[in-house]
């Protein structure tokens, strides 16, 4: 049953990616929406879950928040390192983004989708009701995952075929994650730490890359409205699945 439900997440992820690539003539709106979706996922979904699951504190600070800050700084460090390497090889550090950053970020999205599948499988091990609730939440926000995976990969200058490849990997990840629960169980504290780390990476991409790019050439009110709509959509998903 968990794998069957994960197939729904597979289809929803593909739908999100298909939507992102079909509206490239409104790139600033796509980026604005993606930034809002990512902000909503981090603040309204990942962080609350990470704080609940990770539990313990380290020197007076929740471990999930320390990992959240670590993820943010790690994403910044990776991007700066790749940008400087590109500049050293003749690229323009300020005019061109390193494609490797987009692939790394998309790879993190794939890992997150795999953990979604693990969550579905684990919830069904607890009971059918719990499994259904978790599955609905995962399927609802996998549209945003697919949308963001394609958008992030493309934003950093990767070819369309690479963006589609990462989208397909992201769509398959929940199914594989659900299958893995037949053989293993991930401790809740480990899962909470991972969510905190991933949340920091995602927030960096949204705040430092996606949203500035969205408003750079088109500082329009419609772009801002798309950002707000993206965050509000995640709030709606979290509220309905809670």
């Amino acid at each position: 049953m968990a794998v069957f439900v994960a197939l729904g997440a597979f289809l929803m992820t593909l739908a999100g990616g298909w939507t992102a690539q079909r509206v490239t003539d409104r790139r600033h709106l796509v980026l604005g929406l993606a930034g809002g979706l990512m902000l909503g996922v981090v603040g309204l979904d990942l962080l609350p879950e990470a704080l609940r699951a990770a539990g313990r504190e380290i020197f007076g600070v929740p471990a999930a928040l320390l990992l959240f800050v670590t993820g943010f700084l790690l994403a910044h460090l990776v991007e700066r390192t790749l940008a400087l390497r590109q500049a050293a090889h003749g690229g323009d550090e300020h005019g061109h983004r390193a494609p490797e950053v987009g692939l790394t970020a998309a790879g993190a999205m794939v890992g997150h989708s795999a953990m979604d599948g693990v969550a579905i499988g684990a919830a069904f091990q607890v009971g059918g009701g719990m499994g259904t609730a978790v599955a609905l939440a995962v399927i609802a926000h996998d549209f945003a995952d697919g949308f963001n995976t394609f958008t992030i990969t493309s934003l950093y200058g990767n070819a369309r075929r690479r963006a589609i490849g990462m989208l397909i990997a992201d769509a398959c990840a929940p199914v594989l994650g659900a299958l893995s629960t037949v053989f293993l169980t991930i401790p809740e504290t480990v899962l909470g730490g991972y969510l905190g780390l991933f949340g920091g990476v995602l927030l960096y991409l949204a705040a430092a890359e996606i949203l500035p790019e969205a408003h750079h050439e088109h500082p329009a009110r419609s772009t801002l409205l798309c950002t707000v709509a993206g965050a509000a959509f995640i709030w709606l998903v979290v509220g309905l699945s809670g």
Side-chain angles (χ1 to χ4, degrees):
M1 183 62 183
V3 175
F4 177 76
V5 170
L7 290 175
F10 170 87
L11 295 174
M12 190 63 78
T13 302
L14 291 181
W18 180 85
T19 301
Q21 64 176 308
R22 293 292 294 179
V23 291
T24 51
D25 56 330
R26 294 286 186 270
R27 185 169 179 269
H28 60 292
L29 298 180
V30 171
L31 293 174
L33 179 62
L37 290 171
M38 293 165 73
L39 176 61
V41 166
V42 172
L44 306 177
D45 187 17
L46 294 183
L47 269 184
E49 181 63 24
L51 288 169
R52 185 196 65 80
R56 69 192 187 94
E57 294 186 352
I58 299 176
F59 204 61
V61 177
L65 290 184
L66 288 174
L67 287 166
F68 173 77
V69 173
T70 300
F72 189 98
L73 294 175
L74 183 63
H76 178 62
L77 176 63
V78 169
E79 186 195 35
R80 288 292 85 203
T81 300
L82 291 174
L84 289 173
R85 182 181 301 173
Q86 184 184 40
H89 288 81
D92 180 0
E93 179 186 351
H94 301 288
H96 302 282
R97 292 179 167 87
E100 296 89 348
V101 175
L103 292 176
T104 301
M109 295 293 294
V110 173
H112 174 60
S113 293
M115 297 302 290
D116 281 346
V118 171
I120 292 175
F124 271 102
Q125 290 178 1
V126 173
M130 175 67 74
T132 301
V134 172
L136 288 175
V138 168
I139 290 173
H141 88 249
D142 270 350
F143 179 89
D145 285 352
F147 191 99
N148 289 336
T149 298
F150 186 89
T151 301
I152 289 171
T153 309
S154 302
L155 176 65
Y156 282 85
N158 289 285
R160 185 171 180 270
R161 60 181 178 81
R162 282 190 174 182
I164 292 176
M166 295 306 297
L167 173 63
I168 293 173
D170 190 47
C172 293
V175 180
L176 297 176
L179 280 171
S180 72
T181 59
V182 177
F183 309 102
L184 57 89
T185 301
I186 299 178
E188 190 175 38
T189 54
V190 174
L191 179 60
Y194 161 78
L195 291 176
L197 185 71
F198 178 68
V201 172
L202 210 58
L203 182 63
Y204 178 83
L205 293 172
E209 299 295 329
I210 301 292
L211 291 177
E213 181 71 13
H215 293 276
H216 176 63
E217 296 181 1
H218 297 274
R221 184 178 301 173
S222 57
T223 307
L224 177 60
L225 290 176
C226 283
T227 302
V228 174
F233 173 75
I234 298 300
W235 185 17
L236 177 64
V237 169
V238 171
L240 291 177
S241 61

